[in-house]
DNA sequence: TTGTACGCGTTATCAT
DNA sequence: ATGATAACGCGTACAA
């Protein structure tokens, strides 16, 4: 059995209250007693039981992080940044990867809720469904603690959204490409989440505003189940055999865009002379591929920073805006030449 | 205040014991009572308090995952795989990113220990220090619960190591390159962890066994603080201005190798005709860069699978080997031509 | 400065 | 099938 505060108090010849005071630095302990107790604790390697502790306390200075897949490049970075910010402010992080199943998600959310976290951060927009019924679990959670959304938006009391305007960003990216003289663009996407659909709308609006005819509409949905660059390349190849019927590729994600690069290289065409390519997220992949990838920077660092700022204020009882929107920026590299 | 089991028992007109039985499916509850209680629970959105629960119970079916940086490609994948395996076996994961500071690490380990996890998995070899004193916190933890090491090795009761033989793998990779006619190789590494040093030793042994003169020894340590492919490229450039004094690059990590690719392309040399390159980890990056990267596959999936298998057996009280070693495999792609 | 005693929410053991 | 009650380990009023 693990050693308890009671054991320590006995060995040290003091009461449990005194031991508790020593541990929690509550003051009012004589230096001699303090040292004695500290030594015993050290000697026996005593570690207070977090559950017993959590019972009485109100806040455990813990925040739950929920994401679908922590191995996804974008998510991994978001999680890392959030964790660092939280740690810097004295909060622990509890990370759960739920996958994409809605039921698993609800269970995880309840699980994390039962641990008396001070707040829950939902990383990515997969958590917001299109029907009110499916979002009920979020509303229920918000009854208990503030729910923070990273890169998603949901209007409800005690739910705070911090996001990048993916609609506008994608609109701008697509417009840039069209206005550089490329009307026939392949749009690649792999997620129908809140933000995934926003991007798509932004792309379509750019086509419309620039009077691109319907016949040039070329949109491909890649179901992410398989994964792997080779898969993506093969997928594009399959959908467009022979000479590609487009001169530009815009993808909702850098990984997809790299698939586009690989595809283009296989056809023997040149980038960006024959085909221009734009990715999304401005991840490390943009620097790994050749040529380096033009991509939309959705300012993840600014988002995470702002989100934690909002959270801390909310926990402190301050009134804060329910929704904060940043704007992304197109970072030009070698897969495009817009000048 | 959150709603408790006591509230539910009152509303339902039964005792807390009955409510508990309903929740935990312990049987011996009449269908009528069960339904009544279930309805009330549903109505009030009651969620049992995990801390109160944790007090009495022995196991919470939770495993702690400790890693340095969850945004690292290799780590992110490892964490994901472990989490999936654990979830499939009814265990939850508690993930903590400690960064590279040893003190933060100890604190996190104690923290996680205080939460009565059934085991702790240390992801990556950064956790094993070179001095016995620094490893004391691991030995202490092992007194309480089994400690699992992924890709590290430490000999101590109740510590189980599952790893890839990085020494042999790197030896093989380097030997292949040397025997293909490339004696002058630049070795790039960015970690002096247990496994980082093993790889280095393997490389050096390959040089020695193939009678490569000291004058061709070319080993570069890149301090990972900065990060970023451009940084790495610039670093190599800085260390080797003008025409590179080598015809091969071997890196301890795919990211570094991609830096090598970019560097080579900047010098105008061809890959693999002028310079051959080998990475390590066989990550998704191998498919993203051009040309695609030859890399050592350290069989992460096999490792995580075996690790969880061992863990489950140990928790079930079975006797298991303290150390399981897999061997890696060189996956040839377009940055080398060894035939 | 130190100790006593109770409460925290749940599970498990024993009666009934 | 159900209820009363004793743990579980800790923090903290309150008392001394």
């Amino acid at each position: 059995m693990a050693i308890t505060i009671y054991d320590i108090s006995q060995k040290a010849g003091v009461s449990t209250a005194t031991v508790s005071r020593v541990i929690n630095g509550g003051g009012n302990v004589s230096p001699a007693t303090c040292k004695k107790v500290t030594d015993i604790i050290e000697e026996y390697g005593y570690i207070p039981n977090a559950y017993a502790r959590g019972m009485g306390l109100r806040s455990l200075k813990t925040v739950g992080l929920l994401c679908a897949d922590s191995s996804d490049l974008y998510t991994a970075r978001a999680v890392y940044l959030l964790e660092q910010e939280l740690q810097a402010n004295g909060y622990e992080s509890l990370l759960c990867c739920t996958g994409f199943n809605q039921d698993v998600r609800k269970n995880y959310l309840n699980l994390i809720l039962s641990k008396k976290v001070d707040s829950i951060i939902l990383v990515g927009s997969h958590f917001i469904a299109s029907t009110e019924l499916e979002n009920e679990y979020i509303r229920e959670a918000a009854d208990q603690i503030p729910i923070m959304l990273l890169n998603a938006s949901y209007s409800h009391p005690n739910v705070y959204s911090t996001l990048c305007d993916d609609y506008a960003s994608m609109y701008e990216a697509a417009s840039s490409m069209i206005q550089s003289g490329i009307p026939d663009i392949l749009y690649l996407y792999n997620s129908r989440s809140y933000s995934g659909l926003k991007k798509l709308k932004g792309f379509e609006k750019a086509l419309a505003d620039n009077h691109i005819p319907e016949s040039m509409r070329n949109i491909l949905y890649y179901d992410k189940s398989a994964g792997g660059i080779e898969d993506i390349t093969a997928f594009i190849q399959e959908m467009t055999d022979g000479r590609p019927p487009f001169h530009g590729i815009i993808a909702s994600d850098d990984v997809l865009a790299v698939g586009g690069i690989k595809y283009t290289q296989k056809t023997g065409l040149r980038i960006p002379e024959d085909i221009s390519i734009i990715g999304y997220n401005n991840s490390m992949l943009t620097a790994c591929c050749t040529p380096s990838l033009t991509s939309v920077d959705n300012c993840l660092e600014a988002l995470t920073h702002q989100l934690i700022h909002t959270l801390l204020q909310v926990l402190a009882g301050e009134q804060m805006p329910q929704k904060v929107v940043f704007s992304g920026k197109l970072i030009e590299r070698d897969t495009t030449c817009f000048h």
Side-chain angles (χ1 to χ4, degrees), chain A:
Chain A
M1 243 1 242
I3 194 160
T4 74
I5 197 173
Y6 189 70
D7 300 322
I8 299 296
S9 76
Q10 275 203 319
K11 314 256 188 210
V14 299
S15 74
T16 60
T18 303
V19 177
S20 180
R21 276 189 284 260
V22 169
I23 293 170
N24 301 306
N28 283 354
V29 182
S30 77
T33 314
C34 183
K35 175 160 174 35
K36 190 168 55 182
V37 172
T38 308
D39 286 349
I40 302 270
I41 287 179
E42 193 70 27
E43 182 185 346
Y44 288 87
Y46 165 67
I47 298 170
N49 180 318
Y51 290 96
R53 221 171 194 170
M55 292 258 316
L57 271 36
R58 282 173 166 261
S59 160
L60 289 174
K61 289 255 185 189
T62 303
V63 171
L65 299 184
L66 246 64
C67 69
D69 169 6
S70 68
S71 78
D72 169 78
L73 223 47
Y74 178 80
T75 309
R77 182 130 181 283
V79 166
Y80 178 73
L81 291 169
L82 289 171
E83 217 256 356
Q84 294 298 100
E85 292 262 9
L86 286 169
Q87 197 179 311
N89 287 285
Y91 282 82
E92 283 175 53
S93 307
L94 207 76
L95 185 128
C96 296
C97 313
T98 65
F100 292 92
N101 180 296
Q102 191 79 357
D103 286 336
V104 174
R105 249 172 226 173
K106 289 189 194 179
N107 286 342
Y108 259 110
L109 197 121
N110 281 345
L111 193 84
I112 221 171
L113 224 41
S114 75
K115 296 203 170 157
K116 291 227 186 157
V117 292
D118 296 284
S119 171
I120 294 181
I121 303 177
L122 268 26
V123 180
S125 56
H126 296 280
F127 292 92
I128 305 298
S130 47
T131 71
E132 276 306 287
L133 183 65
E134 284 180 291
N135 289 328
E136 196 190 346
Y137 74 111
I138 292 180
R139 293 195 298 277
E140 281 178 7
D143 286 346
Q144 313 203 21
I145 49 174
I147 304 296
M148 313 300 293
L149 265 33
L150 179 64
N151 228 18
S153 174
Y154 186 65
S155 191
H156 191 76
N158 218 19
V159 175
Y160 297 85
S161 309
T162 309
L163 62 155
C164 172
D165 188 345
D166 290 320
Y167 175 86
S169 303
M170 190 53 96
Y171 179 87
E172 184 207 328
S175 297
S176 298
M177 189 177 274
I178 295 170
Q179 280 152 28
S180 83
I182 304 173
D184 47 345
I185 302 173
L186 169 68
Y187 186 80
L188 281 174
Y189 71 117
N190 61 2
S191 161
R192 295 190 172 114
S193 68
Y194 172 88
S195 102
L197 294 178
K198 285 281 182 195
K199 292 178 202 168
L200 179 55
K201 296 276 182 222
F203 174 73
E204 288 175 331
K205 186 69 162 56
L207 291 192
D209 286 1
N210 286 277
H211 314 294
I212 306 298
E214 272 292 321
S215 61
M216 283 192 185
R217 231 183 93 111
N218 201 347
I219 295 174
L220 241 46
Y221 178 72
Y222 171 76
D223 195 318
K224 68 156 52 192
S225 57
I229 301 285
E230 288 92 346
D231 261 356
I232 300 170
T233 307
F235 171 75
I236 306 176
Q237 224 147 13
E238 195 180 309
M239 307 301 281
T240 65
D241 41 22
R243 197 168 179 77
F246 47 78
H247 291 87
I249 300 177
I250 296 183
S252 68
D253 183 289
D254 285 338
V255 179
L256 285 178
V258 170
I261 292 179
K262 287 290 186 174
Y263 161 80
T264 305
Q265 288 170 340
K266 272 202 177 173
T267 64
L269 294 170
R270 292 162 307 165
I271 305 171
E273 293 83 353
D274 302 321
I275 291 190
S276 293
I277 301 177
I278 299 180
Y280 207 100
N281 281 353
N282 198 33
S283 68
M284 68 171 292
L285 288 189
T286 60
C288 290
C289 53
T290 305
S292 62
L293 179 65
T294 293
S295 183
V296 175
D297 182 8
N298 49 4
C299 52
L300 188 52
E301 263 177 87
L303 286 181
T304 55
H305 186 75
Q306 171 64 40
L307 186 148
I308 299 297
H309 173 70
T310 304
L311 173 57
L312 294 175
Q313 297 297 315
V314 168
L315 289 177
E318 299 291 326
Q319 190 80 16
M320 291 297 285
Q322 298 266 130
K323 184 170 177 175
V324 179
V325 181
F326 286 75
S327 51
K329 202 169 65 186
L330 187 65
I331 309 291
E332 286 204 53
R333 296 201 182 78
D334 300 339
T335 55
T336 57
C337 184
F338 290 163
H339 306 298

